Amino acid sequence: MSRFFTTGSDSESESSLSGEELVTKPVGGNYGKQPLLLSEDEEDTKRVVRSAKDKRFEELTNLIRTIRNAMKIRDVTKCLEEFELLGKAYGKAKSIVDKEGVPRFYIRILADLEDYLNELWEDKEGKKKMNKNNAKALSTLRQKIRKYNRDFESHITSYKQNPEQSADEDAEKNEEDSEGSSDEDEDEDGVSAATFLKKKSEAPSGESRKFLKKMDDEDEDSEDSEDDEDWDTGSTSSDSDSEEEEGKQTALASRFLKKAPTTDEDKKAAEKKREDKAKKKHDRKSKRLDEEEEEDNEGGEWERVRGGVPLVKEKPKMFAKGTEITHAVVIKKLNEILQARGKKGTDRAAQIELLQLLVQIAAENNLGEGVIVKIKFNIIASLYDYNPNLATYMKPEMWGKCLDCINELMDILFANPNIFVGENILEESENLHNADQPLRVRGCILTLVERMDEEFTKIMQNTDPHSQEYVEHLKDEAQVCAIIERVQRYLEEKGTTEEVCRIYLLRILHTYYKFDYKAHQRQLTPPEGSSKSEQDQAENEGEDSAVLMERLCKYIYAKDRTDRIRTCAILCHIYHHALHSRWYQARDLMLMSHLQDNIQHADPPVQILYNRTMVQLGICAFRQGLTKDAHNALLDIQSSGRAKELLGQGLLLRSLQERNQEQEKVERRRQVPFHLHINLELLECVYLVSAMLLEIPYMAAHESDARRRMISKQFHHQLRVGERQPLLGPPESMREHVVAASKAMKMGDWKTCHSFIINEKMNGKVWDLFPEADKVRTMLVRKIQEESLRTYLFTYSSVYDSISMETLSDMFELDLPTVHSIISKMIINEELMASLDQPTQTVVMHRTEPTAQQNLALQLAEKLGSLVENNERVFDHKQGTYGGYFRDQKDGYRKNEGYMRRGGYRQQQSQTAY
Amino acid sequence: MASRKEGTGSTATSSSSTAGAAGKGKGKGGSGDSAVKQVQIDGLVVLKIIKHYQEEGQGTEVVQGVLLGLVVEDRLEITNCFPFPQHTEDDADFDEVQYQMEMMRSLRHVNIDHLHVGWYQSTYYGSFVTRALLDSQFSYQHAIEESVVLIYDPIKTAQGSLSLKAYRLTPKLMEVCKEKDFSPEALKKANITFEYMFEEVPIVIKNSHLINVLMWELEKKSAVADKHELLSLASSNHLGKNLQLLMDRVDEMSQDIVKYNTYMRNTSKQQQQKHQQRRQQENMQRQSRGEPPLPEEDLSKLFKPPQPPARMDSLLIAGQINTYCQNIKEFTAQNLGKLFMAQALQEYNN
């Protein structure tokens, strides 16, 4: 059994039935037989009450047992290993040994082992048969034990003189820690059965008698704790937390408690040893019954709190019967419970249950709201504490409990406006029951709610987003929002501005990402007087989320003093604007806040929020048809190729090797829950389409320019990927569609381009995700037409002498004024060397575009110019003249160079044209 | 078209190479008294080189091979050649020397001249003036004094005129390379410029009389020889490519000059600035106090002079630019002629 203790007693599996434990018990692997089944309470008794001494000694005896087994099978290697462990364990037990004296069983094993080894050593035959490892281990062990035993010389000699007594003790020890295995030991042990029997009969003699005497003294207390243990079992817990509370005063006793009952049993066992096991078991049962009766009798002294549940054993006892339940008592109890909090080995589940009971008691006894509030606070706190690990999330039932609890707490707080709750109220100045004065309770509702929000996020993060479970969890969001709203209302009345800011931020964080369909609907259909149905009215009662956001954010802007909350609020506000297509507000807010300049100093979660906002802004700009803005907003996120990571929507696989476990955990905690995600494909599509609309005309215009810059590297990358394909099938993915469309646009073929960008597949993948999909689509078509026209003019202007605008308007299905304006713009921007002939509505090309050769020659001339310049500088050095004559001349030269460029030609040409 | 060449000029060189060879050959002839005054190439070698490129070279990739022959007085006769195998990634442990030795031994067995007299290389738009070529030609010439490098330009050849040129390093450049000192001072001392890096050796293509007879016979039998490549007017592509390459080199040149410039500036800064002034001031003070002045020569020890940039690269680039310019000049001259011819033809037709 003790093996289980050493492994730590936190896990629940160990709190299961004793039967299970016994199955898992044979660690050494040599226990073929199923040991005797122990009755439950016996085991619990042993488990719960253990002094340090017992623990250490048990450890030792365990090791000793393994050694004996190893000795039996002549496994010297094992012996050596165990012996070393034993030495260590002994070292640990040193302090106890100093107090108690060297335990005889320890001496015994040392002596036995030495004898055994000597025996083996003498046995030349056997040694030969031994395998190499064993032989080696044998010599090492022999040397070691010799050296070791020198320290115990006197003990060993005394043991050898009087082995009986020591054997006795050893057996006793064995009995103590494992009733079951002692049976086996008895069969297998090197000590003969006869001696064993003898020592059994002698058991109550010697030291054990001492215990008996002690037991009498401590009888009362031990009963007490036995009682405790009992209910502990009832509440399916294995830990000794309650023991620690209740047992505080009985600490002294508990040291012996383990001994006390067991010695008792020893006695019984010794008497019944000759009977067979079945009978023994039966006897145990009867004994147990006795004990129960006894307990029942004794239980009379205690008040049992049943809490409406008929099962007696299920519920722990809180207060002694007849104790008058007063504030003081309840609070004392509460403190008792709370003291166990955070301690190792405390059963958190039991603690929660205890607290809940306490609330019931308090409620039953009408102790007033103050106490209840106080306890509730603590319940919620211990609910949060339930998971020791920051990464794990709450179980659904705990979560539900937590929500209920907070709701109840809020109910009380709303119902009793005279209760003051605050972090800053000291424990001493709390007023929990004095009804005359306002009640004051320590605790912060805001922290609880914030924590709850965190827990909610954690739950969402840890649920598979594509499962039904996620939907179920998501339903709680409404509840969370409701709670936040209530707390907000509460704090608006009572809280400080800082608290209000914090709760507002929480509210904002739960609002900003939701698209307000109702408000959207209302916008679309202007109110039609009184013909509204009642349902509509009910729907409209809720505040528009825009108004709400405006109100909350403005308050934070005005009142907040911590930078972080304001930053978050601004970002959320922008996000919300952008989500609802209020581009100009969103953009202005972004520019006014100057967040772009200093966001890199913010902490990662805020940066993620910033990234999300920028992306949303870009998408918003795109919906408005502002491709350039969209492109710029998305550039940072998309160009890195880590959009997923930057938006906190998943970890990149490739960087898995680069980060260690700890970092990964931190990053995992930063992830945004799935329902807040921004569709990455949509994002990329928006980016690529914007890039296409910008890049293709630009490429066409600067076909032969050597110093051409790329607008979007990623777009070019996609194009190149498309070109590398050996076989070009019809496009499948979103990227392929965009690439194919780009190619069509390059040729000025807007219809093909259109069909690639807007079709069934792309609708399903991307466009339908927009709230106003049709509007976006029409915008997109028009953009494609315009940009195709521009591209067409850039690419083919060298082929035309003149072209009628009507033809262009037919080709691109744009109306004449639009065509006119586009061409005019191009002419003004010096992109197109042409002039408009008004009467005939034609574009007359000037044919000033240099040919490829001319272009090259021009570039060469430019380069040679710079070469000459550099050369002259070298010459300057040689001559030792700085500046002066050459420098001036050079500038002149450079100025003159200008005439080679297009500008000069154009001016001359345009003068002649008009 | 190559065949046409050999057919017509069994002893004469091709039109383009004569022009270059005549002009340059004279110029270089005076500058150094190298061991080889003339290169005589067997028709077989020319055909083998062309075949080699046709089979293995494409685009910017170059093919290389070994030339075999013998030296007769001041004339180098190249009578045979064999290609280097193309390198691939997976046979990195291929031993070239071993291969060459094996090849030459085998050739000797069939009674072919086995004197190693140089190597050949194809080129892409005349861009062959590189460090690699310089290094390997230097090692050739170092080992076998008479060796030459034959540069074969397949693109020009495809346009109708066989382009095959033989180059040697000038003795001056050989000395510089031997010293392995490419610092500006050393080059200045050697008085070497890009014009005097390579010398072109005139080429004569020689065929046996039997082959000549065969060629004549074949020419008679064949129908109209397709000679019109020579008159093709579509040449902008070629010019553009040349310009592009020229531009790249000019860029490199610029960079090189900038590098050199910074070097100059750094040196002059170090030489002139602070330290000297301070030392002078100190000396002045010392003088006024009547102490002996500190020595001035430990300057270079105190400051390491900046590493001078190797000038060989810029020399090579300049040489390359020169080659491009020659190419373009030649090309445009020919094209102008063609254009005028076409114009005349047009007028005549009208």
Side-chain angles (χ1 to χ4, degrees):
Chain A
M1 275 166 266
S2 48
R3 263 189 287 271
F4 292 98
F5 295 130
T6 49
T7 56
S9 46
D10 277 357
S11 105
E12 268 205 310
S13 70
E14 279 163 41
S15 68
S16 53
L17 292 171
S18 58
E20 261 176 63
E21 282 181 359
L22 287 171
V23 173
T24 53
K25 195 172 148 194
V27 178
N30 294 331
Y31 301 92
K33 276 187 259 171
Q34 177 76 358
L36 178 64
L37 223 78
L38 294 172
S39 69
E40 221 178 307
D41 63 342
E42 238 176 14
E43 197 181 323
D44 278 316
T45 314
K46 273 181 198 148
R47 170 183 310 164
V48 175
V49 201
R50 278 153 24 97
S51 67
K53 178 189 163 193
D54 294 330
K55 212 159 124 193
R56 293 285 168 229
F57 280 14
E58 262 169 32
E59 210 175 320
L60 289 179
T61 38
N62 269 330
L63 285 168
I64 288 169
R65 198 152 53 231
T66 342
I67 290 176
R68 284 201 189 284
N69 283 328
M71 276 158 73
K72 251 165 262 157
I73 57 165
R74 295 192 150 224
D75 186 353
V76 189
T77 333
K78 177 97 183 155
C79 267
L80 178 61
E81 272 171 38
E82 293 296 326
F83 177 70
E84 270 159 13
L85 287 177
L86 187 67
K88 270 183 211 152
Y90 186 75
K92 271 192 216 158
K94 190 83 186 147
S95 60
I96 292 150
V97 171
D98 287 344
K99 230 186 306 177
E100 307 266 334
V102 182
R104 306 223 47 154
F105 59 87
Y106 191 68
I107 298 301
R108 184 165 158 241
I109 187 69
L110 288 180
D112 283 0
L113 197 58
E114 196 175 11
D115 289 349
Y116 172 74
L117 286 174
N118 284 335
E119 198 181 299
L120 275 184
W121 194 252
E122 303 298 286
D123 184 10
K124 300 281 179 204
E125 280 292 287
K127 238 168 86 186
K128 264 177 213 157
K129 269 187 252 165
M130 238 182 246
N131 66 29
K132 227 169 153 191
N133 276 347
N134 265 351
K136 213 166 140 195
L138 176 62
S139 53
T140 346
L141 183 57
R142 192 160 155 269
Q143 276 170 356
K144 272 198 178 163
I145 201 147
R146 257 200 208 150
K147 215 161 138 200
Y148 195 80
N149 280 5
R150 236 169 265 153
D151 299 340
F152 297 93
E153 203 85 58
S154 60
H155 293 283
I156 290 172
T157 39
S158 73
Y159 159 72
K160 281 190 177 158
Q161 282 160 1
N162 188 9
E164 295 280 288
Q165 197 198 336
S166 315
D168 246 20
E169 248 182 72
D170 184 58
E172 180 193 301
K173 215 56 207 168
N174 272 349
E175 278 283 304
E176 275 165 24
D177 55 62
S178 151
E179 202 71 19
S181 32
S182 77
D183 280 1
E184 284 164 323
D185 273 354
E186 163 189 1
D187 296 336
E188 293 164 0
D189 212 327
V191 191
S192 70
T195 27
F196 188 76
L197 283 179
K198 213 153 87 190
K199 80 194 172 200
K200 277 290 156 198
S201 56
E202 279 173 5
S205 67
E207 281 182 36
S208 52
R209 221 167 254 155
K210 223 163 47 192
F211 292 126
L212 270 179
K213 217 162 84 194
K214 279 236 169 90
M215 206 178 98
D216 285 336
D217 300 339
E218 310 287 346
D219 197 27
E220 199 67 29
D221 286 344
S222 75
E223 288 290 355
D224 178 357
S225 39
E226 239 178 345
D227 233 325
D228 273 339
E229 288 139 28
D230 208 48
W231 62 253
D232 215 16
T233 348
S235 56
T236 66
S237 62
S238 62
D239 302 303
S240 53
D241 61 323
S242 53
E243 177 54 34
E244 274 174 26
E245 307 143 17
E246 290 269 298
K248 278 260 144 61
Q249 55 274 58
T250 66
L252 235 177
S254 66
R255 266 188 63 193
F256 295 98
L257 271 178
K258 184 177 162 24
K259 283 267 147 94
T262 39
T263 31
D264 196 24
E265 272 153 36
D266 274 0
K267 228 186 329 185
K268 282 180 190 169
E271 282 165 17
K272 286 173 187 170
K273 212 65 219 183
R274 287 173 201 88
E275 296 174 23
D276 62 344
K277 281 172 192 174
K279 188 149 186 210
K280 192 168 165 188
K281 214 154 115 193
H282 179 258
D283 208 80
R284 286 277 152 90
K285 261 185 201 157
S286 66
K287 185 198 152 221
R288 195 178 165 206
L289 275 176
D290 282 349
E291 272 177 347
E292 248 172 78
E293 263 175 69
E294 211 175 18
E295 194 187 272
D296 270 353
N297 292 338
E298 280 159 0
E301 294 173 35
W302 305 89
E303 217 239 352
R304 278 218 174 123
V305 183
R306 288 191 190 170
V309 187
L311 269 173
V312 181
K313 296 232 161 186
E314 290 279 299
K315 292 290 171 188
K317 297 178 287 269
M318 290 297 245
F319 301 106
K321 192 183 189 178
T323 316
E324 196 188 342
I325 310 262
T326 62
H327 292 104
V329 172
V330 170
I331 285 164
K332 191 172 161 235
K333 188 79 201 165
L334 177 67
N335 286 336
E336 259 170 36
I337 297 170
L338 288 182
Q339 261 159 15
R341 183 179 163 190
K343 272 186 197 148
K344 212 179 160 202
T346 309
D347 179 13
R348 291 174 289 270
Q351 209 186 1
I352 292 163
E353 229 158 281
L354 272 179
L355 286 167
Q356 268 166 346
L357 270 177
L358 206 59
V359 166
Q360 275 171 7
I361 294 167
E364 274 168 27
N365 291 291
N366 291 325
L367 290 183
E369 305 296 354
V371 178
I372 294 178
V373 166
K374 172 95 182 157
I375 300 170
K376 287 252 182 213
F377 266 126
N378 285 313
I379 292 177
I380 297 166
S382 31
L383 277 169
Y384 292 146
D385 278 349
Y386 186 70
N387 280 319
N389 193 337
L390 208 57
T392 49
Y393 61 102
M394 266 189 178
K395 288 195 207 87
E397 57 264 33
M398 295 301 252
W399 170 244
K401 245 190 238 173
C402 177
L403 285 184
D404 291 343
C405 221
I406 294 176
N407 262 328
E408 281 164 33
L409 184 62
M410 288 313 295
D411 284 338
I412 297 170
L413 288 179
F414 270 112
N416 301 281
N418 59 341
I419 298 177
F420 284 102
V421 178
E423 268 175 307
N424 44 359
I425 298 170
L426 294 173
E427 295 271 344
E428 297 84 51
S429 62
E430 272 185 333
N431 175 15
L432 298 180
H433 45 82
N434 193 342
D436 307 331
Q437 286 163 353
L439 297 170
R440 296 163 68 84
V441 181
R442 181 184 164 80
C444 181
I445 184 83
L446 182 59
T447 325
L448 291 184
V449 173
E450 277 175 348
R451 185 71 204 268
M452 170 195 76
D453 186 57
E454 268 167 42
E455 286 295 334
F456 179 66
T457 316
K458 246 192 274 175
I459 290 175
M460 297 318 278
Q461 278 170 352
N462 284 293
T463 316
D464 173 20
H466 304 291
S467 62
Q468 193 59 32
E469 205 187 344
Y470 194 87
V471 181
E472 290 301 319
H473 286 315
L474 198 53
K475 282 178 187 163
D476 290 337
E477 220 258 333
Q479 237 176 315
V480 172
C481 286
I483 288 174
I484 290 173
E485 223 180 309
R486 290 184 74 181
V487 175
Q488 179 198 335
R489 255 187 290 144
Y490 180 76
L491 287 177
E492 272 169 2
E493 285 170 26
K494 300 202 168 170
T496 62
T497 47
E498 272 158 63
E499 283 174 323
V500 177
C501 281
R502 272 161 73 189
I503 194 72
Y504 274 7
L505 182 68
L506 264 188
R507 183 85 194 277
I508 288 168
L509 285 175
H510 276 276
T511 319
Y512 79 99
Y513 64 89
K514 291 174 189 155
F515 188 77
D516 194 349
Y517 277 99
K518 282 178 214 157
H520 183 62
Q521 224 74 46
R522 253 174 311 190
Q523 265 180 0
L524 289 185
T525 54
E528 294 162 25
S530 57
S531 67
K532 263 190 199 165
S533 71
E534 212 162 280
Q535 196 194 355
D536 274 347
Q537 260 172 354
E539 269 182 7
N540 286 343
E541 261 167 31
E543 204 173 3
D544 259 12
S545 69
V547 181
L548 177 73
M549 286 292 290
E550 189 82 21
R551 188 167 60 81
L552 300 180
C553 289
K554 286 242 166 94
Y555 184 86
I556 289 179
Y557 300 157
K559 298 279 168 65
D560 177 59
R561 276 191 293 278
T562 64
D563 219 24
R564 191 179 183 279
I565 292 182
R566 188 169 39 228
T567 309
C568 286
I570 291 174
L571 287 173
C572 292
H573 202 178
I574 296 169
Y575 189 101
H576 192 257
H577 277 315
L579 191 66
H580 294 83
S581 299
R582 293 188 291 270
W583 156 251
Y584 289 104
Q585 279 115 300
R587 188 199 59 184
D588 292 347
L589 201 52
M590 181 55 104
L591 293 179
M592 278 193 298
S593 62
H594 291 289
L595 277 175
Q596 279 152 311
D597 307 331
N598 48 25
I599 192 68
Q600 63 268 27
H601 306 304
D603 50 347
V606 179
Q607 283 190 13
I608 286 175
L609 184 61
Y610 171 79
N611 288 338
R612 283 165 56 75
T613 308
M614 280 312 279
V615 164
Q616 199 64 41
L617 205 58
I619 293 173
C620 170
F622 181 77
R623 281 196 306 246
Q624 308 292 308
L626 306 162
T627 37
K628 192 153 187 142
D629 291 305
H631 180 266
N632 288 343
L634 298 181
L635 186 63
D636 282 343
I637 304 290
Q638 279 293 329
S639 60
S640 63
R642 298 184 303 155
K644 202 172 165 193
E645 205 183 347
L646 292 176
L647 293 175
Q649 300 190 354
L651 303 174
L652 280 188
L653 279 178
R654 69 171 159 77
S655 55
L656 264 180
Q657 303 96 359
E658 290 162 22
R659 58 171 174 251
N660 55 30
Q661 210 95 33
E662 207 47 46
Q663 277 170 311
E664 193 187 330
K665 261 185 204 161
V666 172
E667 274 176 45
R668 230 172 249 296
R669 235 173 288 146
R670 269 185 221 144
Q671 298 305 304
V672 174
F674 184 71
H675 58 282
L676 271 72
H677 279 200
I678 295 168
N679 191 321
L680 289 176
E681 195 170 19
L682 171 86
L683 170 64
E684 198 182 348
C685 180
V686 164
Y687 174 75
L688 284 179
V689 170
S690 324
M692 176 187 86
L693 291 175
L694 293 174
E695 186 85 74
I696 297 290
Y698 181 82
M699 277 165 74
H702 297 82
E703 188 74 82
S704 52
D705 194 345
R707 282 182 302 182
R708 184 177 72 194
R709 303 249 180 283
M710 272 188 253
I711 294 179
S712 161
K713 269 210 180 115
Q714 228 212 343
F715 178 69
H716 275 276
H717 175 71
Q718 293 301 342
L719 279 188
R720 253 175 280 137
V721 168
E723 275 163 18
R724 234 179 281 149
Q725 227 78 39
L727 271 176
L728 261 185
E732 276 298 323
S733 70
M734 178 275 296
R735 285 179 200 162
E736 284 167 4
H737 270 102
V738 177
V739 169
S742 307
K743 277 185 187 154
M745 195 186 224
K746 238 188 207 161
M747 313 301 290
D749 182 357
W750 78 271
K751 274 186 185 151
T752 322
C753 178
H754 172 212
S755 69
F756 276 131
I757 291 289
I758 295 168
N759 52 30
E760 277 303 303
K761 258 186 209 158
M762 289 292 271
N763 275 348
K765 269 182 192 151
V766 181
W767 307 124
D768 285 346
L769 298 175
F770 285 126
E772 293 166 302
D774 285 325
K775 235 166 100 186
V776 173
R777 275 192 282 260
T778 41
M779 178 280 295
L780 209 53
V781 174
R782 198 180 153 79
K783 278 273 162 197
I784 287 171
Q785 286 168 336
E786 287 174 12
E787 296 303 326
S788 299
L789 169 62
R790 275 159 55 80
T791 312
Y792 185 83
L793 282 175
F794 282 134
T795 318
Y796 299 107
S797 65
S798 59
V799 183
Y800 288 100
D801 273 330
S802 64
I803 184 166
S804 149
M805 280 202 275
E806 255 171 84
T807 323
L808 286 175
S809 134
D810 282 347
M811 272 172 77
F812 292 96
E813 294 183 17
L814 287 162
D815 49 351
L816 214 54
T818 320
V819 174
H820 187 269
S821 83
I822 290 173
I823 292 173
S824 305
K825 242 186 242 169
M826 287 169 75
I827 292 172
I828 290 167
N829 291 334
E830 302 182 5
E831 291 169 327
L832 187 66
M833 301 307 143
S835 51
L836 286 171
D837 188 43
Q838 211 63 51
T840 49
Q841 290 283 324
T842 47
V843 188
V844 182
M845 304 296 172
H846 289 162
R847 305 295 227 134
T848 56
E849 287 293 302
T851 61
Q853 247 66 247
Q854 283 166 337
N855 255 329
L856 282 173
L858 283 174
Q859 282 172 31
L860 181 62
E862 227 167 271
K863 282 187 179 162
L864 286 174
S866 67
L867 180 64
V868 168
E869 218 171 282
N870 284 329
N871 227 355
E872 271 169 8
R873 236 172 255 162
V874 175
F875 192 60
D876 281 355
H877 270 293
K878 282 213 171 126
Q879 299 291 308
T881 52
Y882 296 97
Y885 177 65
F886 279 114
R887 193 76 15 119
D888 291 342
Q889 214 183 25
K890 245 180 281 152
D891 286 345
Y893 173 68
R894 207 190 271 157
K895 257 173 224 156
N896 281 342
E897 219 177 28
Y899 80 91
M900 307 254 253
R901 295 195 183 116
R902 264 187 242 155
Y905 281 115
R906 192 191 54 79
Q907 270 183 342
Q908 289 163 4
Q909 290 287 329
S910 55
Q911 274 165 10
T912 52
Y914 287 108
Chain B
M1 52 249 130
S3 67
R4 186 189 61 83
K5 280 276 139 55
E6 277 136 50
T8 50
S10 59
T11 48
T13 53
S14 71
S15 62
S16 63
S17 52
T18 12
K24 286 238 170 120
K26 263 174 223 155
K28 306 298 136 72
S31 65
D33 45 339
S34 57
V36 180
K37 293 273 191 283
Q38 199 187 33
V39 178
Q40 181 183 310
I41 310 173
D42 224 75
L44 172 75
V45 175
V46 179
L47 286 179
K48 270 179 109 173
I49 293 172
I50 293 171
K51 186 165 168 256
H52 182 203
Y53 178 80
Q54 216 79 352
E55 281 171 354
E56 286 187 19
Q58 77 267 103
T60 53
E61 256 178 68
V62 293
V63 296
Q64 291 173 329
V66 174
L67 297 174
L68 302 171
L70 64 159
V71 184
V72 182
E73 290 166 356
D74 61 352
R75 191 175 70 223
L76 180 70
E77 293 186 5
I78 301 169
T79 54
N80 214 327
C81 68
F82 61 87
F84 284 140
Q86 209 77 333
H87 274 291
T88 45
E89 298 284 312
D90 37 80
D91 53 20
D93 54 343
F94 178 78
D95 188 356
E96 254 179 35
V97 178
Q98 183 68 30
Y99 173 80
Q100 283 182 32
M101 286 316 193
E102 195 68 29
M103 202 65 190
M104 276 151 76
R105 201 174 302 135
S106 305
L107 286 170
R108 191 169 52 191
H109 283 316
V110 290
N111 215 5
I112 286 171
D113 291 325
H114 56 268
L115 178 62
H116 204 151
V117 295
W119 58 299
Y120 69 87
Q121 191 199 315
S122 71
T123 175
Y124 177 73
Y125 285 106
S127 45
F128 60 87
V129 191
T130 59
R131 192 62 187 261
L133 183 119
L134 177 75
D135 287 348
S136 50
Q137 180 58 20
F138 168 71
S139 60
Y140 265 101
Q141 246 172 281
H142 196 61
I144 309 155
E145 213 212 327
E146 294 85 12
S147 50
V148 294
V149 55
L150 273 186
I151 302 293
Y152 163 66
D153 189 340
I155 294 162
K156 241 190 216 166
T157 305
Q159 278 172 349
S161 51
L162 173 69
S163 168
L164 202 61
K165 294 185 184 187
Y167 288 100
R168 285 169 55 78
L169 302 183
T170 56
K172 267 185 194 173
L173 189 63
M174 282 298 288
E175 264 164 45
V176 174
C177 286
K178 246 180 249 171
E179 306 266 302
K180 292 240 183 296
D181 182 10
F182 300 128
S183 66
E185 284 77 30
L187 289 181
K188 204 171 148 191
K189 219 172 81 190
N191 194 19
I192 198 158
T193 59
F194 67 89
E195 289 127 325
Y196 301 114
M197 290 172 75
F198 293 94
E199 58 176 354
E200 196 179 332
V201 189
I203 293 176
V204 176
I205 296 175
K206 182 179 162 56
N207 283 325
S208 76
H209 296 299
L210 276 174
I211 292 177
N212 284 336
V213 170
L214 178 69
M215 296 311 298
W216 281 111
E217 212 168 298
L218 281 178
E219 195 166 73
K220 227 181 263 174
K221 272 184 193 167
S222 67
V224 189
D226 41 351
K227 295 169 184 171
H228 52 259
E229 281 104 332
L230 199 61
L231 294 175
S232 164
L233 286 172
S235 54
S236 58
N237 195 21
H238 188 81
L239 190 59
K241 273 273 162 51
N242 257 325
L243 274 174
Q244 199 83 49
L245 287 164
L246 178 59
M247 233 185 295
D248 291 349
R249 285 301 96 70
V250 169
D251 270 350
E252 279 175 30
M253 191 73 176
S254 286
Q255 279 170 17
D256 217 69
I257 286 178
V258 169
K259 233 186 265 166
Y260 186 64
N261 220 341
T262 35
Y263 157 69
M264 297 265 286
R265 210 176 313 132
N266 286 347
T267 22
S268 65
K269 234 189 235 165
Q270 254 190 24
Q271 280 168 2
Q272 293 169 358
Q273 269 181 353
K274 288 173 194 165
H275 187 77
Q276 228 163 3
Q277 283 175 3
R278 215 187 301 141
R279 178 53 56 87
Q280 269 172 359
Q281 275 179 354
E282 218 176 282
N283 279 350
M284 296 265 273
Q285 282 175 355
R286 276 167 169 266
Q287 261 177 355
S288 64
R289 272 178 280 161
E291 287 167 41
L294 286 171
E296 295 214 5
E297 78 275 339
D298 60 340
L299 205 77
S300 54
K301 278 173 212 156
L302 278 176
F303 297 101
K304 235 197 201 161
Q307 195 64 38
R311 297 297 290 158
M312 193 39 109
D313 284 336
S314 72
L315 264 187
L316 284 170
I317 294 169
Q320 183 65 63
I321 290 177
N322 191 33
T323 326
Y324 283 137
C325 288
Q326 294 287 351
N327 270 348
I328 292 171
K329 212 168 88 187
E330 208 173 278
F331 181 80
T332 44
Q334 282 175 13
N335 265 29
L336 272 179
K338 278 188 231 169
L339 282 171
F340 279 122
M341 208 154 72
Q343 199 185 7
L345 216 62
Q346 192 93 9
E347 275 164 15
Y348 176 75
N349 279 352
N350 289 342

